[in-house]
Amino acid sequence: MELTDKRFWKFEAMMLLCGVLLFCLLCSVLICNGAEIDSGSGIILILLFPIFLLYFAICGIPTWLLYNGGSWMKLAGYLYFISSLLVIAPIMTFMYDWNPATANMRPENMPIDEGTFFTDNEFAVIICVGWAMSLIIPVVFTSYLSKRWIIKDNQGHGWIVDSASRAIQGNLQSNVRAIAIGYRYNRLTLKCYLDSLPSEQDKEMLSDIAGEIISDFPPDKIPRTTEICEFSNVPISELDKLDSFIYIRTNEP
C-alpha cells in the first residue's frame, strides 16, 4: 500500500500502541520475576519507552508498503518478520562469533559443568529468542486491531454500491451488457462491458455515472477513479466482476 494513503497514519498509531504493549510486557516480566527497580534501572526503562515507540514506528513503514490487503495474519506476519529482523540481524552479525575455533570459549579456569556462565554466542541467542517471543503478543494484537480498523474504513463499499445503483438509472444505453464496480484503497473502478466497440458516447456515459457516485461522498472518500469500457461477447459468468456487478442486462447468458 502507499504511504500517501491517509490510513497509513492510523496504522502508525497502532504501531505506537505495539510499542506501548511491548514496554508494558517487559515491565510485567520484570515485576513478576522480582526485579528491583532502582533509580538506575528506572532511568533505563524510561529511556526504553520512546525507543520502543520509535522502533515500531519505523517498522510500520516497510510493513505498510509490503502489505497489499488480505487477512490480519498476513499483516502480522509482515510486521513480525520486520520487527524481528531489525534486531536479530545486527545481533547475529556483530555479536555472534561464527568462527568455530573461538565460538563458545569459556575462561580456562572455569569448570566445564559450570552452568551459570554464558558465552557471547549463548548470550546473543538468548537475546534473539527472548526478543522473538516477546513480539508475539503485541504484534498479533495490534495487527488484528489494525485490520479491523482498515475494514471499518472500507465498510462504505455497500453505500458506494447503493449510490452506483442509483447512478445508472436513466444513464444506460442499449449496448451495455453489464457494469462491474470495485472499491479498493479509496479508488473507485467501473468496468463497462459492451456488445459493440466502445465509442466516445459510451465513455462519457460511464464518466457521468462515476461523477454521480463521487458526488454522494466527501472528496477524500473517492479521490481516484478508473473507468473502463470494453467490448465483450463472452458469457457474463466469465467476466471480471471486480467486487460485484451493479448492472446486468436482462436475458444475458
Side-chain angles (χ1 to χ4, degrees), residues 91-109:
I91 290 176
M92 299 304 290
T93 301
F94 300 107
M95 289 184 60
Y96 194 86
D97 187 358
W98 295 93
N99 186 350
T102 58
N104 299 318
M105 291 185 62
R106 295 170 177 257
E108 295 180 357
N109 59 349

Side-chain angles (χ1 to χ4, degrees), residues 151-168:
I151 291 175
K152 184 176 181 181
D153 280 351
N154 285 336
Q155 284 179 344
H157 176 265
W159 300 332
I160 291 175
V161 171
D162 291 340
S163 174
S165 299
R166 294 191 299 268
I168 62 176

Side-chain angles (χ1 to χ4, degrees), residues 223-236:
R224 297 169 294 176
T225 61
T226 300
E227 302 155 17
I228 304 171
C229 285
E230 66 177 44
F231 165 73
S232 177
N233 57 5
V234 301
I236 294 294

Side-chain angles (χ1 to χ4, degrees), residues 54-229:
L54 179 61
Y55 179 78
F56 281 101
I58 294 173
C59 291
I61 297 174
T63 301
W64 181 261
L65 292 173
L66 289 173
Y67 181 66
N68 58 358
S71 69
W72 66 270
M73 295 184 68
K74 180 181 177 182
L75 176 61
Y78 281 132
L79 179 58
Y80 183 80
F81 174 76
I82 292 171
S83 56
S84 299
L85 185 66
L86 292 184
V87 168
I88 294 176
I91 290 176
M92 299 304 290
T93 301
F94 300 107
M95 289 184 60
Y96 194 86
D97 187 358
W98 295 93
N99 186 350
T102 58
N104 299 318
M105 291 185 62
R106 295 170 177 257
E108 295 180 357
N109 59 349
M110 179 172 290
I112 298 178
D113 58 351
E114 176 63 48
T116 58
F117 178 81
F118 293 105
T119 64
D120 291 343
N121 281 5
E122 291 170 341
F123 185 62
V125 171
I126 290 173
I127 293 176
C128 292
V129 172
W131 178 253
M133 293 180 63
S134 64
L135 288 175
I136 295 175
I137 294 177
V139 165
V140 169
F141 183 74
T142 53
S143 296
Y144 177 76
L145 289 183
S146 297
K147 180 59 180 175
R148 295 284 295 181
W149 205 353
I150 292 173
I151 291 175
K152 184 176 181 181
D153 280 351
N154 285 336
Q155 284 179 344
H157 176 265
W159 300 332
I160 291 175
V161 171
D162 291 340
S163 174
S165 299
R166 294 191 299 268
I168 62 176
Q169 296 178 10
N171 283 327
L172 296 180
Q173 302 180 43
S174 59
N175 62 336
V176 177
R177 297 186 60 210
I179 298 179
I181 189 171
Y183 182 66
R184 288 287 186 276
Y185 312 123
N186 292 350
R187 177 184 290 276
L188 173 68
T189 302
L190 292 175
K191 196 169 187 178
C192 181
Y193 298 99
L194 307 169
D195 59 12
S196 60
L197 293 176
S199 64
E200 289 300 321
Q201 188 176 4
D202 296 323
K203 296 177 182 178
E204 184 178 345
M205 171 203 67
L206 193 61
S207 180
D208 290 341
I209 293 174
E212 291 194 25
I213 297 172
I214 294 172
S215 65
D216 286 342
F217 299 92
D220 61 341
K221 186 68 175 179
I222 311 178
R224 297 169 294 176
T225 61
T226 300
E227 302 155 17
I228 304 171
C229 285

